Amino acid sequence: MTTDHDVIYTARLIRTANPSRPTAEAVAVRDGKVLAVGTLAECTEWGITNIDTRFADKVLTAGFVEAHAHTMAGMYHAIPYVGWFARRMPDGSRVDGVRSTAELIERLSRIASGTPEGESIVVAGFDPIYMDTERLNRDHLDAASTVHPIFVFHANAHLATVNSALLSKHSINEDSTAPGVGRFDDGRLNGELREPAAMALARDEFRFIGHTVGSTETFFHFSAAMRDAGITTVADLGNLFHANEQSRQRLHEMTVPHEFPIRFVSASRLGGATTDVDTALEQVLASRSHAHDKLHFPVVKLVLDGSIQGFTAMVSWPGYFTGEDHGLFLVPPDSVVDLLRPFHRAHIGIHCHCNGDLTSQVFIDAVEQLLSEHAWLDHRHTITHAQLMTPAQMRKARNLGMVANFFVNHMWFWGDQHRHLTVGPDRAQHLNPCATADRIGLGYSIHTDAPVTPPGHLHTMWAATQRRTPSGDVLGTSERISIDRAFHAATIDAAYQLHMDHLVGSLEVGKFADMTVLEKDPYEVDPDDVADIAVWGTVLSGRPQPANGS
Amino acid sequence: MNPDIVTHVIGGYLGAGKTSFVRSVLTTTTIPVAVIVNDFGSINIDRALLSRHGDNLVEMTNGCLCCAVGDSLAEAIFTIMDHPQRPSTLLIETSGVADPAAVNAFTHLPGLVDGGTVVLVDAANALATHRDRRVTRTFERQLRAADLVAITKTDIVEANQARAVVDLVASIVEDTPILKAHPEVLGRIVAPVAVTTPIVASHDEFIATHATDFVFDDEQALRAHLEALPASTVRVKGIVALSDGSVREVHRVGALVSVTMSELAPTGMIVIEAPSTTSGHPSRAGPGID
């Protein structure tokens, strides 16, 4: 018996991410769920006559699942993006990369010409790590405008460069004793504000960034950016929505409407500022009472170290290849078990940011301890980023039932820097070791950490299969995986580590009818062209969600 | 023009007693202070002492403000500075592995003045923490940020261990005053209480002298006086008058002196010393350190 909402979508090809039925030509949908997958004839045996052929010339896949991104990725609607690599904006438009100081000045001048005098200009994502040119300073920015305070927030989030108008607006002058206020050799201020304490001197502009990151508009632009990149389920890995009833309610209200185009996983952030774990657990459990089809609370997030390219990951001997080791733990390693215990006991999954291998070891050992105390066998605790995991660590993690989420996009975005600056020619080849994980039997997914790298799984799949750097190097040919393996890492394996593999991640009867709609088949294009496949949009709970500009 | 808020960073590794210390300040102070903490739960203020509970900010019946860091320390600081009940003192409790110097950098914001960083050290665990190579650098960096180091829990460890901890700290920070104190006593020492409140019990090994008769010619003379106090001075606080009738709030933590405008009535100055040693290390102030 059919209902009004029954529909069969046909496509040139459907990739299900279900190895027992990897491809199909039609999918039947009822009440937002997969009713059947197979040939058109098999699907029509359910008596459905509503056959939707809009995707007849497209490729449908199981909806991509992103297990590590941030709502901050939606901030570019209010804060212009000035990074190195071209990016797609939430409204569908494309922004070229900024490849030099001159290009930045030109971009800022254009913004200034449309901004009332005296009003601040705040831009973000500037990344000089790729540039050979003179370090950005206030004189460069003065060339863009002397009548608008300009605040350029760097991609690393630890540095801002400002112009003279901003310095004088906030009375920051040569007498300043504040640490982090940069100077030229002659003592004159150079416009650099290093670390939050110095950036906070530019009070209005710095607060503007914080408020924008946390705003409702940014939240919606984030969801649009994810949909446009073909993502159907995404984990915002590390937020404070759980902290009070008002924000819990707000999150519920933002995600309920039909128009909200993604399935949102909210992972509460622990550690650092949170030392009262029992209250945090109560708050996470209170969050769960607000869950619905598009809002889930399966895991929590802990950040344990910094980044490799920032030299703040905890890396074992022989340490960093060049530069100074500023590795740090963000939480005392001995306190990790106590911090995580209540969540493990409550059967809430834990995703832990570990970039360095010393950091992964702390988390692995903590999980071993937690398991010996309380045998939650299906925990799936996840080492996220996991860039420098060793084979020994991968074997132990596998034994403990853990999984990894590899930051494969680093092979492209920072591959040359890792090879030449951070970890050197040998270790660089073993970063994000997907193939070794396969050989050892450690499960894993792959992620973008958007906005750190742009949203979208076509790029992660390309990076995992090709491991190519901008200079043309391939870092670790024996860690390349097949497109089929990468596709599963971007779908069902991501769902698995979010404890949602019974709901999403593959097209199977009873699961949500979530699909990614592509113009081409990733298995069929030239391997180097996977990242360029156009995304039409998604289907969420059976409803088509075209991308902006589609 | 509001006077600058005297800001103390409270640092130290996990378990050193930072939270007990902050709680002690909040419950014993007679002058409203603001504190920024990691989260409210760990502070555990008696419900009876709360007058208003917002999401990130708690107001106490004694006028104290307590703000949780949440996403941004800068935002918490601005919240305190913008609050109508503008306090004259702010304590910022850091997390267990934070570098207090990085937090201290915020005291350069307009509206704040650095009143001195206090770093607590747990005598029961300090040696093991320092030996753990994953955190050695963190531990040492915290000590180097201190204007005053307070070693806690010396009463529950063997005398040998207490001595070893003092020696370790002294070897890392050669010129910084070190004292041994229970976090609650430390709270009473650091809190900007009115000088008529008893600071230390008779059995404590600190000497608190209270002087009310000063009037200083000018700020320069006041600073000179504060800086010239003996090296065994670990803490000074007071509200003193200048000869032009204006009033200053004064603080000294370790060797760091801060002087700010005050609208309160002058009540004098209290100087807290730890008995100096006989061994020719005048900066090593504290009972039993020789």
Side-chain angles (χ1 to χ4, degrees):
Chain A
M1 196 180 78
T2 71
T3 76
D4 286 343
H5 301 293
D6 290 357
V7 60
I8 296 172
Y9 289 107
T10 62
R12 176 156 66 80
L13 175 68
I14 299 177
R15 293 205 176 270
T16 64
N18 174 11
S20 89
R21 195 205 195 101
T23 58
E25 67 178 16
V27 55
V29 177
R30 169 175 293 169
D31 295 340
K33 297 197 286 252
V34 173
L35 180 65
V37 182
T39 64
L40 180 57
E42 285 166 347
C43 289
T44 55
E45 283 189 46
W46 283 90
I48 301 171
T49 51
N50 178 17
I51 300 176
D52 191 315
T53 58
R54 77 181 81 187
F55 300 131
D57 63 339
K58 307 228 187 292
V59 172
L60 296 178
T61 73
F64 288 141
V65 177
E66 167 66 84
H68 191 153
H70 302 278
T71 54
M72 191 170 160
M75 75 178 185
Y76 297 119
H77 73 95
I79 301 178
Y81 167 81
V82 293
W84 176 266
F85 293 96
R87 279 219 190 181
R88 186 179 179 160
M89 291 295 109
D91 66 358
S93 64
R94 197 186 129 98
V95 171
D96 287 330
V98 168
R99 293 296 165 108
S100 67
T101 307
E103 283 181 24
L104 177 66
I105 294 170
E106 208 253 300
R107 188 77 62 89
L108 288 168
S109 303
R110 248 188 288 136
I111 295 171
S113 65
T115 306
E117 216 176 278
E119 204 173 286
S120 297
I121 295 171
V122 179
V123 299
F126 181 69
D127 209 341
I129 197 175
Y130 304 103
M131 297 182 193
D132 279 329
T133 51
E134 188 192 357
R135 212 174 154 96
L136 185 70
N137 62 49
R138 77 196 268 191
D139 296 331
H140 298 125
L141 299 182
D142 285 350
S145 173
T146 54
V147 297
H148 303 85
I150 295 178
F151 187 97
V152 177
F153 192 49
H154 288 229
N156 64 27
H158 287 274
L159 175 59
T161 310
V162 305
N163 68 350
S164 303
L166 188 143
L167 291 172
S168 90
K169 171 183 172 184
H170 294 288
S171 307
I172 307 167
N173 55 44
E174 268 68 23
D175 296 333
S176 174
T177 51
V181 174
R183 290 163 199 277
F184 292 112
D185 289 336
D186 64 1
R188 194 172 144 251
L189 297 188
N190 64 13
E192 286 193 1
L193 301 175
R194 275 177 238 121
E195 299 303 332
M199 290 193 278
L201 290 170
R203 181 173 158 144
D204 303 333
E205 292 77 14
F206 187 60
R207 290 185 97 179
F208 176 69
I209 293 177
H211 293 153
T212 301
V213 165
S215 75
T216 302
E217 276 169 313
T218 290
F219 187 85
F220 286 123
H221 280 98
F222 160 78
S223 69
M226 287 294 148
R227 172 207 57 214
D228 292 358
I231 307 295
T232 49
T233 296
V234 55
D236 176 28
L237 216 72
N239 62 48
L240 298 177
F241 280 116
H242 61 290
N244 59 71
E245 182 57 24
Q246 190 192 31
S247 61
R248 296 193 286 262
Q249 265 286 102
R250 178 174 162 244
L251 179 59
H252 177 95
E253 279 156 15
M254 290 193 294
T255 52
V256 152
H258 269 317
E259 305 74 51
F260 187 69
I262 54 172
R263 217 167 292 284
F264 190 81
V265 171
S266 182
S268 299
R269 191 170 78 230
L270 309 176
T274 305
T275 50
D276 176 14
V277 282
D278 295 313
T279 302
L281 174 64
E282 270 169 37
Q283 290 165 340
V284 172
L285 293 172
S287 297
R288 283 181 162 183
S289 67
H290 291 291
H292 57 84
D293 281 352
K294 289 191 294 192
L295 180 60
H296 302 261
F297 302 89
V299 302
V300 293
K301 165 82 176 302
L302 173 66
V303 181
L304 210 40
D305 70 353
S307 71
I308 301 172
Q309 74 278 23
F311 295 86
T312 50
M314 286 295 284
V315 177
S316 68
W317 185 93
Y320 287 93
F321 187 52
T322 71
E324 246 185 76
D325 186 341
H326 291 288
L328 44 78
F329 284 117
L330 294 184
V331 168
D334 286 339
S335 69
V336 172
V337 171
D338 293 331
L339 199 52
L340 300 178
R341 180 180 291 113
F343 301 94
H344 176 80
R345 287 185 164 268
H347 289 205
I348 297 171
I350 298 160
H351 284 227
C352 188
H353 157 142
C354 305
N355 263 315
D357 54 329
L358 288 181
T359 317
S360 295
Q361 194 64 48
V362 169
F363 184 48
I364 291 168
D365 293 342
V367 171
E368 182 174 41
Q369 169 71 19
L370 290 173
L371 272 173
S372 72
E373 293 176 7
H374 176 79
W376 177 29
L377 300 181
D378 193 26
H379 59 85
R380 312 178 190 184
H381 295 324
T382 303
I383 305 163
T384 188
H385 299 329
Q387 300 209 63
L388 276 168
M389 277 190 88
T390 65
Q393 289 177 330
M394 285 191 265
R395 287 179 208 111
K396 183 167 180 180
R398 172 207 60 205
N399 291 347
L400 296 171
M402 298 173 77
V403 289
N405 194 352
F406 290 122
F407 204 166
V408 291
N409 267 355
H410 257 248
M411 308 322 297
W412 170 259
F413 287 99
W414 286 283
D416 292 322
Q417 286 70 37
H418 289 316
R419 189 242 174 272
H420 294 285
L421 295 176
T422 64
V423 296
D426 185 336
R427 256 178 166 161
Q429 320 238 5
H430 304 289
L431 288 171
N432 301 294
C434 296
T436 300
D438 282 332
R439 287 186 279 271
I440 284 172
L442 174 72
Y444 62 88
S445 173
I446 52 184
H447 64 278
T448 62
D449 198 19
V452 176
T453 74
H457 265 314
L458 291 169
H459 196 284
T460 59
M461 286 163 58
W462 170 80
T465 56
Q466 298 306 300
R467 294 181 68 94
R468 205 181 292 288
T469 75
S471 75
D473 253 359
V474 172
L475 283 178
T477 49
S478 53
E479 291 297 347
R480 293 166 131 178
I481 56 175
S482 68
I483 189 69
D484 181 62
R485 183 66 192 90
F487 173 60
H488 285 83
T491 52
I492 190 65
D493 295 327
Y496 174 83
Q497 58 187 231
L498 295 176
H499 292 268
M500 291 173 68
D501 51 313
H502 58 298
L503 297 173
V504 296
S506 64
L507 293 170
E508 298 179 59
V509 176
K511 293 173 75 163
F512 284 118
D514 292 350
M515 297 169 242
T516 301
V517 185
L518 303 174
E519 298 292 346
K520 297 189 182 160
D521 177 13
Y523 287 52
E524 266 165 32
V525 301
D526 193 287
D528 262 317
D529 296 339
V530 168
D532 297 328
I533 295 172
V535 176
W536 178 91
T538 64
V539 173
L540 195 75
S541 293
R543 302 177 84 222
Q545 311 272 354
N548 269 330
S550 254
Chain B
M1 182 65 207
N2 287 320
D4 288 343
I5 302 174
V6 178
T7 305
H8 304 281
V9 174
I10 312 301
Y13 203 73
L14 182 76
K18 296 188 297 295
T19 303
S20 306
F21 163 74
V22 170
R23 195 187 312 121
S24 164
V25 169
L26 286 174
T27 50
T28 60
T29 187
T30 54
I31 293 175
V33 306
V35 304
I36 294 176
V37 297
N38 290 321
D39 50 53
F40 296 127
S42 53
I43 285 287
N44 200 25
I45 303 166
D46 196 331
R47 215 160 259 283
L49 297 177
L50 299 183
S51 70
R52 228 168 62 90
H53 197 313
D55 288 334
N56 270 343
L57 184 75
V58 166
E59 292 174 30
M60 292 174 62
T61 50
N62 64 0
C64 287
L65 302 177
C66 189
C67 191
V69 171
D71 256 330
S72 162
L73 176 56
E75 210 42 58
I77 290 172
F78 291 135
T79 300
I80 300 277
M81 290 206 288
D82 291 344
H83 198 278
Q85 278 166 238
R86 202 183 148 88
S88 59
T89 300
L90 169 64
L91 303 185
I92 305 178
E93 179 199 4
T94 70
S95 78
V97 283
D99 178 4
V103 178
N104 183 255
F106 283 90
T107 62
H108 291 267
L109 286 175
L112 301 181
V113 68
D114 182 8
T117 295
V118 181
V119 173
L120 282 68
V121 174
D122 177 359
N125 289 308
L127 298 174
T129 301
H130 185 251
R131 256 201 311 273
D132 182 343
R133 297 169 74 167
R134 302 169 304 177
V135 294
T136 305
R137 223 185 13 235
T138 297
F139 181 80
E140 292 185 0
R141 190 169 38 206
Q142 289 176 343
L143 290 173
R144 291 199 190 97
D147 292 297
L148 177 66
V149 177
I151 302 179
T152 60
K153 303 185 193 167
T154 52
D155 51 325
I156 63 165
V157 302
E158 297 276 336
N160 283 344
Q161 186 167 336
R163 146 125 310 119
V165 172
V166 172
D167 288 347
L168 172 67
V169 173
S171 72
I172 295 166
V173 283
E174 290 175 355
D175 293 317
T176 308
I178 304 168
L179 54 82
K180 297 192 281 188
H182 189 282
E184 278 171 20
V185 174
L186 190 68
R188 281 183 268 128
I189 289 172
V190 175
V193 297
V195 295
T196 48
T197 305
I199 300 292
V200 292
S202 56
H203 63 272
D204 288 333
E205 285 149 37
F206 298 99
I207 302 160
T209 14
H210 183 195
T212 46
D213 349 359
F214 300 109
V215 174
F216 292 90
D217 289 339
D218 54 32
E219 218 179 271
Q220 208 174 356
L222 172 56
R223 278 187 179 275
H225 176 85
L226 291 168
E227 279 155 17
L229 291 170
S232 55
T233 305
V234 293
R235 174 69 166 127
V236 178
K237 48 192 166 180
I239 317 279
V240 300
L242 298 186
S243 59
D244 67 355
S246 66
V247 180
R248 296 292 183 277
E249 182 170 333
V250 303
H251 292 276
R252 177 175 150 156
V253 168
L256 192 87
V257 170
S258 66
V259 176
T260 53
M261 300 294 300
S262 177
E263 276 139 37
L264 302 169
T267 43
M269 201 157 65
I270 187 155
V271 176
I272 298 167
E273 290 176 79
S276 56
T277 71
T278 55
S279 70
H281 288 288
S283 62
R284 296 283 172 262
I289 302 173
D290 53 28

